[in-house]
Amino acid sequence: MPRRVIKKEQQDPSPTPTPTSAHAPASIASHTMGPPSRKRLREDAIDAQSAAVSFIRSHAPSAETCRRGHDDDQEPMFLELRARPGGGPTGSPQSSQNADTSFAHQSFAHPTFTNIGVKLRELNNTVGSLQQLGVCYVAELPELVLVGDQSAGKSSLMSGLARVDLPRSAGVGTRCPLHIRLINSSNAHWSCTVALQLDYDFEPKGKIKKSDVTATNQFPPWVKKSHRDIKIFKTIFDPSEIEEVLRWAQVAILNPKNDHELYIPGDGAIAKGGDLSEATRVAAAQFSPNIISLEIKGPELPGLSFYDLPGVFLSPDQEEDEYIVKVVRNLTRHYIQRKGAIIMWALPMNADPENSISLGIIREAKASDRTIGIMTKADKLALENEAQWLAMFREEKQSVGHGFFATSRPPDKPLETAAKWEQLFFSREVDSWPAEFEEFKDRCGVELLGEYISTQLGKAFEQSLPSIKAKVYTRLDKIRNQLADLPEIPENVEHEVKKSLYQFLGRMKTAMKDSEFSSEWSSLNNQFRDIIMKIKPTCRVKEPAAQTIDLSDADTEVSTVTPSKRPRPSDSTMRPTPGKCPRQENEMPTTPVKQESFTAGSLFRASPAIGTGLAEMHSPFAGFRNLGRLAMDIQDIRTQVRKKQRPGMPRDLVPDEVREAMCLDAVKKWQGPLETYIDKTAELLERVTNQALEESIGVLRRRLIFRECQIHLKEFIDKIVASQRGRLADMYRSETYQMYVLNEDSFSRYKAQELDQLRRARAIYRLKAVALIQWNYEIKNLADMSDDDRSREQKIFTQQLPKIGNDPYETEIEVAAFVRGYYLTAATRFVEGVTMNVNSHLFRIIGSTELDFFMDQQLGLGRAPLNVYEHLMEEDDKTASLREQLKSEIDKLSQAMTSINALECSPDGGSGSETILPASIIDLDDDMEEGF
């Protein structure tokens, strides 16, 4: 590991340099302008003393005492400070006999400056690292912010400071902020990493008006995020590529809803096939407060970082973009108001400084004392305005705390020659820089400006370092305590997850066999069977304007009206006139109704549990009870038959299509009960499986694994129920497609049974109509009648029916019996098929390994990394998110503390300690490779 060797101070007989060198470091001789104010003189003395002490502590060499070894193998440099007889270090740049090597006229990256600025570079590298880590929410960091009006020459100035050609036309600088970080790297190769620092979300809500821009909504339609997202855009190794990459990075940042990789030059689909100017024109946003960052590494670069903001302006090109004027001002104000910001105010010398919009914002924020005035475009200075700019140099007008610098980097000059040209310009060897400005020569040129701002940034950071460190440490300690208070995750988290899942899946397989579940499902099946049987179509057997006998599957309703033939007055069977007949014993005010069921041997006798009582009312199928009521009428049947008969057909010959249509109409009423049956089966299944989940891993109810299992279990149940629903729907469609009878014995038996019931009811009706049977004759269930009663009724039929002849509706009665017989045959098949299919398919899947595979897949446990198991053992989503957020913040703050501690331990750091700094910390940018 390379070490920096420090020799003790020795007496040096070299001549004492002139103490008021015009070419001294900016921290020492930055204000040698006249006439200086008393306050400025005092500040200069303090700055000089501070800088001198700082440089002595860092063992910075003079121009003559620098000893360099070979840089290629990173040999340590032996630095020596010599004490002059009068005290203080020797080796002022002015002692050099070669004017071309004068400190003020050397490149900012000249070895003399880089050696003197080792401490500054490390300070500024550290502050750049902290800025990129985004820890400014914990402690306010010193920062350089370049502001100015449009066309103020900021782009040329920025290119000079960054030592790379940046876009100078309308584009990058006008649409979003730019953060440039320069890092002196031991690597001989130049590189630049462009990244998008996303602090705001894009939430457009229609066309934006100027009134939408308020103090609380400064950058519509952008909304502040809770954290910063950093997306690497592209790393390049050729400075000539930087302009194109930056322009496409701007397009990406203005289209936040799209994947930023689409806009990467050379790789992204849009960047490959699109036109850059058109892509910029049609961008989703016209402006963004999100930042494009450039991390530039290279040999002999100063440790410097600064923000460049879009130029403020008065009016946009399009009236609809008026709001952007306010947005850009808000952005400028947002950065200027930061107490740690050192403002670099650019104002061109070919314009009137009194018209500067930026100066008004600076004064409004009371930031003038933190401002460095930078006069750009010095080569454009008009002779008649010299007095005005001289007054500003002398702090007589537009005074700012750090005074003014002048720069001149014409856009037509290549970067390689611009620095030399500027040096010659301010030395009055080219062009026409007025001699009156000679006294401010030490404040002219981008190189001297860069030296000054680097020094000021380093000093500000050094002064605030103890406070920053304390705040970062306090925040770090607080977050660690927060993390410690979160629910503990089991040590062997993978084992715990798998064990819990095994218990759950095992319990699921036994849940389907539990007696409680079997009992509930059996009850549901019985209710489904009963409702299907109950909605068997009933038949109205009355003739028009005659007595009515209404039949249902479980009862026979008999209602009477005035008979068609008036009985003799002496006939005991005569029905009295309504309202005048005396009520006889056991007589009801309306037609008597007697419950009638099937024969005792019937397979489809009404279930005692459902009947017409309380159990039936609470059945989930209660709403379907009357679906089959009066579904047929003998008169309607006759009408249908006659419509379908061909001419000349016998009246008692019924077309098959009539029978089939009526049978299919009867079974189509199953759709509602079937859907209810599926829904109730799904509810039962979901309830039982959730109970199994609770019993198996209920102790982990507060953990995400319980919630995840619950969610995915419902997904699985919904999936298999949907599949089962499709199967049963197919069964229903098969029943309603066409008539189908294979078990003809059952069909014949049911049809004969139904024909006997209908003929009996029809016979009673006909006998009452002609007063051959008492009008209040009560129809009883044959099973409930005694043998004598049945014999008596049969005797009446035998004696009386021949008297009234054949039934004119016998054919219609036979059709009704056919339909009811087919209904019972199909219903038997359907109910058994539905329930068996559910049992053999739906419940079988629950007990199979299909659920195991589904849960593994949904939980992501197939060769899952440890963090997947840790996530499942988190308390909940909010806790998991908070844990990840705290871990991320701890990582950032830990990196920040490492950078700060490394800086303090450095021989050139703030502590002045002799501790050797590890090589990995000396080049802080190497650690920041993964910081994005």
Side-chain angles (χ1 to χ4, degrees):
M1 182 181 297
R3 292 176 178 268
R4 182 175 292 149
V5 180
I6 312 293
K7 291 188 177 182
K8 293 184 179 179
E9 297 177 353
Q10 299 177 357
Q11 296 294 325
D12 185 10
S14 60
T16 302
T18 304
T20 58
S21 170
H23 310 296
S27 58
I28 300 174
S30 59
H31 302 297
T32 56
M33 61 185 75
S37 65
R38 183 176 303 174
K39 174 182 178 182
R40 179 60 55 82
L41 288 173
R42 182 168 63 254
E43 290 177 349
D44 287 348
I46 295 173
D47 287 348
Q49 182 180 5
S50 174
V53 173
S54 177
F55 290 152
I56 290 173
R57 186 173 64 214
S58 63
H59 304 277
S62 67
E64 292 79 9
T65 58
C66 176
R67 305 284 194 271
R68 265 193 179 275
H70 295 288
D71 290 341
D72 295 340
D73 55 358
Q74 296 186 356
E75 286 291 326
M77 293 183 296
F78 294 84
L79 309 178
E80 181 177 2
L81 282 174
R82 299 173 180 170
R84 63 187 183 199
T90 65
S92 168
Q94 205 173 25
S95 64
S96 173
Q97 296 179 359
N98 188 348
D100 289 339
T101 61
S102 172
F103 186 82
H105 292 82
Q106 292 174 26
S107 166
F108 188 39
H110 191 279
T112 302
F113 177 77
T114 54
N115 288 334
I116 292 176
V118 167
K119 172 189 173 183
L120 293 177
R121 186 170 64 243
E122 292 186 354
L123 285 167
N124 293 337
N125 274 344
T126 304
V127 73
S129 298
L130 299 182
Q131 286 170 346
Q132 285 192 333
L133 285 172
V135 299
C136 53
Y137 69 96
V138 176
E140 194 168 67
L141 301 175
E143 56 192 6
L144 295 169
V145 179
L146 178 59
V147 302
D149 297 358
Q150 273 190 345
S151 303
K154 293 194 296 89
S155 297
S156 298
L157 174 63
M158 185 170 57
S159 296
L161 290 172
R163 303 192 173 282
V164 65
D165 279 319
L166 298 175
R168 301 189 185 188
S169 59
V172 171
T174 62
R175 299 296 186 96
C176 64
L178 197 65
H179 181 236
I180 298 178
R181 183 184 176 202
L182 307 173
I183 300 173
N184 182 49
S185 173
S186 58
N187 193 327
H189 300 289
W190 183 94
S191 68
C192 175
T193 297
V194 179
L196 313 181
Q197 296 180 356
L198 309 179
D199 298 313
Y200 295 83
D201 282 326
F202 185 62
E203 297 182 4
K205 298 178 180 178
K207 188 176 180 180
I208 306 170
K209 302 185 295 294
K210 191 174 182 179
S211 58
D212 294 331
V213 186
T214 63
T216 56
N217 187 26
Q218 293 187 326
F219 315 122
W222 299 89
V223 179
K224 183 71 173 177
K225 294 160 61 78
S226 61
H227 61 285
R228 168 176 288 180
D229 288 332
I230 298 179
K231 296 182 179 179
I232 299 297
F233 190 70
K234 187 172 185 178
T235 298
I236 57 177
F237 303 94
D238 183 354
S240 65
E241 299 178 18
I242 196 167
E243 179 167 353
E244 181 187 20
V245 172
L246 274 181
R247 290 189 182 277
W248 278 111
Q250 175 187 257
V251 176
I253 215 167
L254 295 176
N255 290 280
K257 300 296 184 182
N258 297 341
D259 187 347
H260 70 285
E261 294 183 355
L262 294 172
Y263 303 97
I264 298 177
D267 297 320
I270 295 179
K272 280 182 177 180
D275 177 73
L276 179 58
S277 59
E278 177 64 13
T280 304
R281 187 185 68 81
V282 300
Q286 296 300 309
F287 168 85
S288 175
N290 288 322
I291 301 168
I292 297 177
S293 74
L294 286 78
E295 186 183 77
I296 303 175
K297 298 179 182 179
E300 299 182 340
L301 282 178
L304 187 64
S305 64
F306 59 92
Y307 293 92
D308 175 53
L309 303 183
V312 292
F313 56 98
L314 288 175
S315 59
D317 294 337
Q318 304 292 332
E319 184 178 354
E320 61 188 24
D321 293 333
E322 280 287 343
Y323 76 95
I324 298 180
V325 175
K326 293 180 66 176
V327 167
V328 172
R329 292 195 186 192
N330 284 342
L331 183 72
T332 303
R333 189 178 296 110
H334 173 72
Y335 279 85
I336 287 177
Q337 286 176 339
R338 298 177 182 178
K339 298 302 181 183
I342 298 174
I343 313 303
M344 298 187 294
W345 168 39
L347 64 162
M349 298 188 79
N350 62 344
D352 188 347
E354 294 184 356
N355 295 330
S356 172
I357 308 171
S358 303
L359 180 60
I361 300 175
I362 292 170
R363 287 174 173 173
E364 178 187 332
K366 302 188 184 304
S368 297
D369 59 332
R370 294 186 278 112
T371 299
I372 303 169
I374 303 174
M375 304 173 183
T376 63
K377 304 183 181 182
D379 54 308
K380 304 291 185 181
L381 173 64
L383 294 178
E384 61 270 18
N385 293 332
E386 287 182 15
Q388 182 182 28
W389 295 99
L390 280 171
M392 293 171 63
F393 258 128
R394 293 166 179 161
E395 298 188 66
E396 296 170 356
K397 296 182 64 176
Q398 282 84 28
S399 176
V400 291
H402 290 269
F404 286 88
F405 281 79
T407 65
S408 181
R409 289 294 179 101
D412 58 336
K413 298 291 183 183
L415 183 66
E416 295 77 12
T417 61
K420 184 64 176 177
W421 184 92
E422 185 183 52
Q423 177 183 332
L424 295 175
F425 172 76
F426 285 121
S427 299
R428 301 179 59 247
E429 297 182 33
V430 296
D431 220 315
S432 57
W433 181 240
E436 288 80 3
F437 290 90
E438 181 67 20
E439 60 179 303
F440 306 110
K441 187 176 182 179
D442 62 323
R443 282 181 162 252
C444 294
V446 172
E447 304 295 345
L448 289 176
L449 170 65
E451 171 194 337
Y452 180 82
I453 61 178
S454 179
T455 302
Q456 295 304 313
L457 182 64
K459 286 169 57 180
F461 182 59
E462 184 180 28
Q463 292 171 3
S464 59
L465 186 60
S467 173
I468 293 173
K469 180 179 179 180
K471 290 178 180 178
V472 170
Y473 178 81
T474 300
R475 178 64 180 172
L476 188 59
D477 188 57
K478 180 179 179 181
I479 295 175
R480 284 171 174 162
N481 291 334
Q482 281 184 264
L483 192 60
D485 290 339
L486 294 180
E488 291 295 331
I489 296 178
E491 292 185 4
N492 193 348
V493 65
E494 183 175 354
H495 170 73
E496 291 296 329
V497 169
K498 289 182 175 179
K499 182 183 74 173
S500 301
L501 195 59
Y502 176 79
Q503 291 174 345
F504 162 61
L505 294 173
R507 181 67 187 90
M508 282 294 300
K509 290 176 174 57
T510 62
M512 299 296 98
K513 300 177 182 178
D514 287 350
S515 58
E516 182 179 354
F517 171 77
S518 299
S519 176
E520 286 194 56
W521 187 59
S522 178
S523 176
L524 181 63
N525 287 342
N526 290 336
Q527 291 173 330
F528 176 59
R529 176 203 63 196
D530 290 342
I531 195 61
I532 293 297
M533 297 307 166
K534 186 171 183 61
I535 61 177
K536 179 181 67 176
T538 64
C539 181
R540 188 187 301 271
V541 297
K542 75 174 182 176
E543 297 176 55
Q547 181 179 353
T548 299
I549 302 176
D550 190 8
L551 299 177
S552 67
D553 60 326
D555 60 71
T556 301
E557 296 181 359
V558 182
S559 59
T560 60
V561 293
T562 304
S564 59
K565 179 181 179 181
R566 185 177 181 86
R568 296 186 303 273
S570 59
D571 195 332
S572 61
T573 62
M574 174 183 171
R575 180 184 179 189
T577 303
K580 297 183 179 180
C581 62
R583 181 171 298 178
Q584 300 178 6
E585 185 177 356
N586 298 326
E587 179 181 289
M588 299 298 292
T590 59
T591 303
V593 178
K594 181 65 179 178
Q595 293 297 326
E596 179 182 25
S597 184
F598 299 102
T599 59
S602 174
L603 293 175
F604 293 96
R605 188 164 184 168
S607 172
I610 193 166
T612 56
L614 188 62
E616 181 181 2
M617 296 300 296
H618 287 83
S619 166
F621 305 98
F624 304 112
R625 288 196 309 270
N626 296 320
L627 276 182
R629 183 173 178 80
L630 302 180
M632 295 184 292
D633 184 287
I634 56 174
Q635 189 63 40
D636 291 339
I637 294 174
R638 174 170 289 184
T639 301
Q640 292 185 50
V641 169
R642 288 180 177 176
K643 283 182 178 180
K644 298 297 181 180
Q645 283 182 330
R646 296 194 305 274
M649 289 181 64
R651 295 182 59 183
D652 60 348
L653 184 62
V654 180
D656 290 341
E657 57 186 305
V658 174
R659 297 179 185 272
E660 184 173 31
M662 295 182 65
C663 289
L664 295 183
D665 284 344
V667 300
K668 285 178 180 178
K669 294 180 172 61
W670 293 346
Q671 184 173 9
L674 178 62
E675 291 179 353
T676 299
Y677 174 74
I678 301 172
D679 292 341
K680 293 302 176 182
T681 300
E683 289 178 13
L684 174 61
L685 187 59
E686 190 171 342
R687 185 170 71 252
V688 170
T689 52
N690 280 331
Q691 184 178 350
L693 177 68
E694 187 72 31
E695 292 173 356
S696 57
I697 58 175
V699 292
L700 301 176
R701 191 178 301 102
R702 296 183 62 186
R703 303 282 182 177
L704 280 178
I705 186 172
F706 184 88
R707 183 86 53 81
E708 293 285 323
C709 284
Q710 195 173 44
I711 292 172
H712 299 315
L713 177 60
K714 187 176 188 313
E715 290 176 1
F716 184 77
I717 297 297
D718 290 345
K719 173 186 172 184
I720 61 176
V721 166
S723 174
Q724 184 64 57
R725 195 183 296 273
R727 287 170 171 266
L728 300 186
D730 282 341
M731 294 179 64
Y732 171 78
R733 284 191 290 268
S734 297
E735 293 290 349
T736 57
Y737 171 65
Q738 67 179 23
M739 283 181 59
Y740 186 84
V741 175
L742 190 61
N743 190 347
E744 293 188 8
D745 290 341
S746 294
F747 172 60
S748 298
R749 185 171 63 252
Y750 289 135
K751 182 174 66 171
Q753 172 185 296
E754 295 302 313
L755 185 58
D756 287 344
Q757 282 193 345
L758 289 171
R759 281 175 173 171
R760 178 184 176 224
R762 177 66 179 166
I764 294 173
Y765 152 72
R766 296 181 67 214
L767 291 174
K768 283 187 176 184
V770 294
L772 293 178
I773 193 173
Q774 292 182 351
W775 72 271
N776 59 349
Y777 179 82
E778 184 177 1
I779 300 177
K780 296 181 180 180
N781 190 325
L782 288 176
D784 297 333
M785 296 172 66
S786 66
D787 292 340
D788 291 341
D789 289 339
R790 282 196 295 270
S791 298
R792 190 176 301 111
E793 182 180 86
Q794 187 62 40
K795 185 177 179 180
I796 294 174
F797 290 167
T798 303
Q799 294 176 351
Q800 302 297 339
L801 284 177
K803 296 178 181 180
I804 59 176
N806 295 331
D807 186 0
Y809 284 92
E810 176 63 22
T811 299
E812 287 75 12
I813 292 297
E814 187 275 330
V815 172
F818 183 96
V819 173
R820 285 157 66 96
Y822 177 80
Y823 182 94
L824 292 175
T825 303
T828 304
R829 176 178 63 214
F830 184 67
V831 170
E832 288 188 351
V834 165
T835 54
M836 185 179 71
N837 196 284
V838 169
N839 184 62
S840 62
H841 182 258
L842 185 63
F843 297 160
R844 177 178 56 82
I845 291 178
I846 296 293
S848 71
T849 58
E850 190 171 334
L851 177 60
D852 303 38
F853 292 129
F854 181 82
M855 295 300 289
D856 276 351
Q857 182 180 16
Q858 296 302 108
L859 293 173
L861 299 184
R863 297 182 180 179
L866 186 62
N867 64 332
V868 173
Y869 295 97
E870 290 178 347
H871 173 77
L872 290 173
M873 278 297 174
E874 291 283 3
E875 185 166 356
D876 51 39
D877 284 327
K878 185 177 180 181
T879 302
S881 176
L882 179 59
R883 183 185 292 277
E884 290 303 314
Q885 180 182 336
L886 294 179
K887 284 182 178 179
S888 175
E889 192 170 354
I890 284 177
D891 183 58
K892 287 183 179 181
L893 295 179
S894 296
Q895 290 185 53
M897 287 299 296
T898 299
S899 297
I900 293 172
N901 289 333
L903 179 66
E904 291 184 331
C905 293
S906 168
D908 295 307
S911 65
S913 169
E914 295 292 330
T915 305
I916 302 302
L917 185 66
S920 61
I921 303 300
I922 290 177
D923 193 7
L924 292 176
D925 58 298
D926 292 340
D927 285 334
M928 290 308 298
E929 288 280 2
E930 301 177 358
F932 280 116

